[in-house]
Amino acid sequence: MTEIIARIAGTGAYLPARVLTNDDLARIVDTSDEWIRARTGIRERRIAAEDETTASMGAEAARAALAAAGLSPADIDLVVVATATPDNTFPATAALIQNRLGVRAGAAYDVHAVCSGFLYALTAADNAIARGQARNALVIGAETFSRILDWTDRSTCVLFGDGAGAVALTAAVREEAAPRGVLGSYLRADGRYADLLYVDGGPSTTKTVGHLRMQGNQVFRHAVTNIAEAIEKVCADAGVAIADIDWFVPHQANQRILEAVARRLGLDEGRVVSTVARHGNTSAASVPLALHEAVADGRIKAGDLVLMEAMGGGLTWGAALVRW
Ligand code: UT7
């Protein structure tokens, strides 16, 4: 029987033009370029303009992914958006993006797993394609975290940025040897730690949007353990040795997390794609933004084994393995 695999046919990205540097932040809160760089690796981040939203940025990233894939909106029959900063409480930002693109077929919905959202959304779209429920899907990670930051809290406002990344997935016949496409994924959540990273508002509680709150050093400890677990699990399930992975595309929360995970698993740091210095933490957008950068600059090539991973609020975490 012919087996179907979801192949990544194209990637796209969108970053707002406005750059906010660490020195800019030192004029707003009691911080310094030296502290931010040493503790996080971040040098600057992008901030959305007044008229830019999660839907507008997500739609731009999706258009780029469609063009790279050689697909048109008429080909798309599923739009999944990972975001924790939707344009509206409802409808889903996916519906807004679907309309902006002129996609008229299939389903459109949001997935909310904060920084792990892109892995959750990719897994949902992969499952839909494997079940024959969709043929061509857009998976988008888009965030406007600048709108939920407490700009008086130096422990959080220096960490995050805005942006969007997208991939176009297409159903392909799975090759018997070295199949190209999504080989597997692994998702986890542990709600016992919800209060380590959360937004202190919402429609059913405060009736306001609220602001991001984080116990950063505790999240850091969970991140290294959980990410290492997810990488080991997804590789073991796929029968792939970690040493055979060509590119690691991690969630970009902190350069020190990337390095700690690399040390723990013995990864070659030259194989870890890092954009955190220029993007900061863009939550659900960070993995597809980093993925797009490594594809666009020629690092990731056809046949390469690519491992994506993330950990974020929930706590949620996960990993996905793709042969390009
Ligand atoms: O994307 C979702 C997942 N999120 C993450 O993975 C984030 C994980 N956590 C982190 O990346 C790090 O914990 C942070 C970057 C958030 C913080 O780094 P840290 O080394 O864990 O610092 P800390 O929170 O333990 O704070 C150390 C000190 C404190 O001062 P005292 O109490 O030692 O006097 C803070 O008040 O640094 C101080 N501090 C700052 N100083 C200058 C906190 N933020 C700042 C700041 N500038 N922006």
Side-chain angles (χ1 to χ4, degrees):
M1 202 183 85
T2 311
E3 234 191 296
I4 295 299
I5 192 165
R7 187 167 292 162
I8 299 186
T11 64
Y14 180 84
L15 287 163
R18 183 178 164 212
V19 174
L20 189 71
T21 66
N22 293 345
D23 286 336
D24 294 333
L25 279 162
R27 286 188 276 276
I28 305 172
V29 287
D30 181 16
T31 191
S32 65
D33 176 48
E34 193 191 4
W35 191 95
I36 300 170
R37 270 208 238 180
R39 298 293 180 118
T40 71
I42 300 168
R43 291 162 186 261
E44 60 186 43
R45 69 287 292 140
R46 301 298 182 98
I47 301 293
E50 279 292 312
D51 61 347
E52 285 176 318
T53 69
T54 297
S56 76
M57 295 190 294
E60 287 305 317
R63 278 194 190 97
L66 281 176
L71 293 171
S72 78
D75 299 316
I76 297 298
D77 54 6
L78 176 64
V79 180
V80 187
V81 174
T83 189
T85 46
D87 281 28
N88 300 89
T89 300
F90 74 79
T93 300
L96 304 179
I97 293 177
Q98 189 211 45
N99 187 45
R100 280 174 183 263
L101 298 175
V103 171
R104 296 286 174 256
Y109 60 90
D110 288 0
V111 166
H112 190 155
V114 206
C115 299
S116 313
F118 183 77
L119 274 306
Y120 273 66
L122 182 71
T123 302
D126 174 40
N127 288 339
I129 287 174
R131 293 269 295 164
Q133 293 167 344
R135 283 201 58 77
N136 295 300
L138 279 168
V139 182
I140 302 160
E143 300 278 18
T144 325
F145 261 48
S146 61
R147 308 243 158 91
I148 57 163
L149 295 175
D150 176 351
W151 288 98
T152 65
D153 175 11
R154 69 175 182 173
S155 72
T156 53
C157 75
V158 304
L159 303 173
F160 296 90
D162 299 333
V167 301
L169 289 181
T170 193
V173 174
R174 185 184 173 103
E175 301 96 334
E176 275 183 26
R180 292 177 56 217
V182 180
L183 302 180
S185 60
Y186 172 69
L187 301 177
R188 288 293 311 278
D190 190 341
R192 285 176 300 173
Y193 300 108
D195 59 355
L196 295 186
L197 174 49
Y198 67 103
V199 168
D200 61 3
S204 80
T205 52
T206 61
K207 304 181 210 97
T208 63
V209 172
H211 292 113
L212 183 146
R213 307 292 172 203
M214 178 165 70
Q215 295 179 44
N217 45 17
Q218 294 203 47
V219 175
F220 192 115
R221 277 199 291 278
H222 284 283
V224 178
T225 311
N226 292 345
I227 290 166
E229 179 223 346
I231 293 175
E232 285 176 327
K233 174 77 173 141
V234 82
C235 286
D237 286 354
V240 166
I242 292 177
D244 292 337
I245 303 292
D246 294 293
W247 296 105
F248 292 87
V249 183
H251 170 50
Q252 311 282 322
N254 187 324
Q255 184 63 31
R256 284 161 53 218
I257 295 178
L258 273 53
E259 288 165 8
V261 170
R263 268 197 308 276
R264 182 179 285 219
L265 297 180
L267 313 180
D268 172 358
E269 279 188 39
R271 297 271 153 197
V272 179
V273 177
S274 177
T275 55
V276 68
R278 285 169 289 108
H279 300 170
N281 182 345
T282 56
S283 183
S286 94
V287 170
L289 275 170
L291 183 69
H292 175 73
E293 189 167 292
V295 171
D297 68 19
R299 273 178 286 177
I300 295 177
K301 294 185 208 60
D304 281 355
L305 278 170
V306 178
L307 192 140
M308 298 173 252
E309 49 87 345
M311 196 301 314
L315 294 176
T316 56
W317 64 100
L321 181 65
V322 173
R323 187 176 284 106
W324 209 254

